[in-house]
Amino acid sequence: MLLYRLIPIVLTLSLAGCQTATDGLSTSGAPAEVTGPAAGAIAGDMAGRFAEQAGSTTTPIKLHKDTSEFSVALEAALKGWGFAIVTDDKSASAKDAPKPVELAYSIAAVDGQVLARLSTDTMELGRAYSVNNGLATPASPLSLMKRN
């Protein structure tokens, strides 16, 4: 039974990384139902996994902000891991400043779970979470795709 529940998640994760030469990173967004402690738990876990894979925190992260609790929690979690967050091109305009890495995120409700995804030009992370009573716990292993 568990296998049947994981098949749609695996398919979603594999299709989520499909891009053509004209596609860019997906837009960022979070559904309204991921709030409070659940948003913070998912953002904290995903930021930690991103930091492990990124290897260096010296390159600033360009994050498209919105007003969701997840967006606020993700920005705080990334800062907690030592990343500098850039939210517009003006703040990264210094000649000697490294070019920011654009980080897109998405959160989607799928079959009673929440699927979280972080994407850059070179990698994509995804994981499913169970959200119960406002708390989120990982419900799948981390999915990692690296691109050259």
Side-chain angles (χ1 to χ4, degrees):
M1 187 65 152
L2 180 62
L3 179 61
Y4 292 112
R5 291 182 51 96
L6 289 177
I7 289 174
I9 293 170
V10 171
L11 287 174
T12 302
L13 286 174
S14 64
L15 292 175
C18 295
Q19 292 183 333
T20 65
T22 59
D23 289 342
L25 293 176
S26 63
T27 58
S28 299
E33 63 268 8
V34 179
T35 60
I42 294 170
D45 182 53
M46 291 299 287
R49 303 302 70 78
F50 178 79
E52 290 172 355
Q53 297 302 318
S56 171
T57 60
T58 58
T59 303
I61 302 292
K62 182 175 181 182
L63 189 63
H64 296 280
K65 291 181 68 166
D66 63 34
T67 58
S68 70
E69 288 186 45
F70 181 78
S71 177
V72 172
L74 181 60
E75 181 176 352
L78 289 167
K79 285 179 178 177
W81 280 95
F83 290 100
I85 303 299
V86 175
T87 56
D88 59 26
D89 290 329
K90 294 176 187 172
S91 51
S93 61
K95 288 182 181 179
D96 295 337
K99 182 181 178 192
V101 171
E102 187 172 350
L103 178 65
Y105 61 89
S106 66
I107 300 286
V110 178
D111 292 336
Q113 295 181 331
V114 173
L115 179 62
R117 190 175 113 200
L118 298 181
S119 301
T120 69
D121 290 349
T122 59
M123 81 172 129
E124 188 160 332
L125 302 169
R127 179 176 260 178
Y129 294 86
S130 294
V131 178
N132 294 311
N133 299 323
L135 301 175
T137 55
S140 73
L142 182 70
S143 172
L144 170 63
M145 180 177 68
K146 290 195 175 188
R147 305 187 247 310
N148 292 328

